[in-house]
Amino acid sequence: MIGIFDSGVGGMTVARAIEKLCPGYPLVYFGDIAHTPYGSKSIDTITRYSMRNCDFLLEQGAQIIVIACNSASSTSSDALRKKYDVPIIDVITPATEKAAAISRNKRVGVIGTRATINSTIYEKRIKKILPESKVYSQSCPLLVPLVEEGWLSKRETKMILRRYLYPLRLKKIDTLVLGCTHYPLLKDLIQPRMGQRVNLIDSSVEAALFLQKYLTGMPDLRNKITQHDGPSKFFVSDLTTPVQDLASKIFCRNIHLEKINV
Ligand code: DGL
């Protein structure tokens, strides 16, 4: 199975993209709702939760793990790779490669949680590929709660977005990385505020494309993953009606979430 974890339900944007782009592979998803948000926690805490999430996914039979959460990817992926033998895919690498490949004026913006932006990982990775690039980062801590409240097109959300995005507009970026699981749900509000010429990079789609390519080159792993012929499973560490609603909204169908105690 392909194991996917996130701090909550937002990582289902990654699971959904994987389901679309890598059909036929059973998924096991874990959303750590009981401890969300990760984006405002320390590196130590995010790493501890991430290790526990990996342990759970491996117990469920995962043969590869996708860290859907940008905050966990940016702070904990090295520690996870050191600890576990299975391949670990993060959401940062694919998005930075894409940004470096498509930016024409080499001015790239990144938005994410505080943990992701403070890690400076996007900046370092993009500059490693494109040393002459300018990378402008902006943490947007209010966006996750707004998405979780379902305020996807409210006036207040638009105002807050304008405030966060304005400094990036001034920098004349031509590419903006949506470095958080929740931001793809705000794409339709972000695009007009940045202008139609700015490329938006959805880190969930890029991660799914990366995984698709990775699996193509790994026939043995592919066979192992598909040996499990049951349906995909979705686990959460807490379950409320808004969580259930957001999961169904992301998947555009009813998703059965199973609550477990970890
Ligand atoms: N999943 C987180 C991320 O992509 C957003 C929510 C949180 O802060 O836990 O960074």
Side-chain angles (χ1 to χ4, degrees):
M1 298 184 94
I2 298 176
I4 305 170
F5 80 83
D6 179 46
S7 56
V9 84
M12 288 194 169
T13 55
V14 179
R16 170 84 168 141
I18 291 175
E19 191 185 72
K20 272 195 186 160
L21 292 165
C22 311
Y25 294 108
L27 312 180
V28 52
Y29 181 93
F30 176 64
D32 194 11
I33 308 285
H35 300 105
T36 200
Y38 282 10
S40 51
K41 293 193 169 60
S42 68
I43 296 179
D44 281 358
T45 302
I46 301 174
T47 305
R48 186 158 47 84
Y49 289 157
S50 299
M51 287 184 174
R52 197 215 38 199
N53 300 344
C54 287
D55 291 341
F56 172 74
L57 292 174
L58 294 172
E59 275 164 28
Q60 293 300 313
Q63 286 100 358
I64 179 168
I65 288 178
V66 178
I67 315 173
C69 179
N70 278 259
S71 305
S73 292
S74 56
T75 55
S76 314
S77 49
D78 289 346
L80 298 182
R81 287 197 182 99
K82 254 188 219 148
K83 180 165 178 190
Y84 299 99
D85 284 340
V86 297
I88 296 192
I89 310 282
D90 63 77
V91 284
I92 313 285
T93 312
T96 51
E97 285 177 0
K98 176 79 175 193
I102 66 171
S103 175
R104 291 169 309 275
N105 71 2
K106 300 184 176 43
R107 300 172 78 83
V108 177
V110 181
I111 53 175
T113 64
R114 282 212 179 94
T116 299
I117 298 304
N118 289 347
S119 76
T120 67
I121 191 162
Y122 271 108
E123 198 171 327
K124 285 185 197 134
R125 296 267 180 92
I126 294 169
K127 280 179 172 277
K128 200 166 171 193
I129 311 174
L130 270 186
E132 68 281 26
S133 62
K134 295 258 186 250
V135 181
Y136 302 99
S137 303
Q138 173 75 51
S139 64
C140 306
L142 295 175
L143 297 185
V144 166
L146 288 168
V147 170
E148 291 189 345
E149 273 306 304
W151 284 27
L152 298 183
S153 56
K154 294 255 189 200
R155 204 163 55 93
E156 291 81 353
T157 309
K158 292 178 186 166
M159 262 165 49
I160 290 169
L161 262 176
R162 201 171 306 121
R163 182 99 180 240
Y164 281 144
L165 298 176
Y166 184 65
L168 296 172
R169 281 187 67 134
L170 293 182
K171 299 293 181 195
K172 306 253 180 288
I173 58 167
D174 74 353
T175 302
L176 176 66
V177 180
L178 309 182
C180 175
T181 46
H182 291 55
Y183 302 172
L185 295 164
L186 294 170
K187 244 189 216 168
D188 291 347
L189 297 187
I190 295 173
Q191 187 76 69
R193 275 154 195 85
M194 288 310 298
Q196 293 305 324
R197 292 217 196 110
V198 173
N199 305 301
L200 298 189
I201 297 185
D202 178 338
S203 55
S204 53
V205 172
E206 295 312 317
L209 287 166
F210 187 94
L211 178 68
Q212 186 190 52
K213 209 159 143 197
Y214 182 82
L215 290 175
T216 306
M218 296 282 186
D220 291 348
L221 180 60
R222 273 199 329 256
N223 287 341
K224 273 203 242 164
I225 294 173
T226 46
Q227 260 162 25
H228 176 102
D229 57 2
S232 294
K233 292 179 180 169
F234 298 87
F235 296 96
V236 285
S237 53
D238 195 13
L239 186 53
T240 57
T241 309
V243 162
Q244 182 66 66
D245 290 349
L246 189 56
S248 303
K249 184 175 232 142
I250 292 170
F251 271 89
C252 305
R253 65 171 193 267
N254 204 28
I255 284 287
H256 174 68
L257 298 177
E258 196 173 321
K259 180 177 178 282
I260 48 131
N261 294 316
V262 284

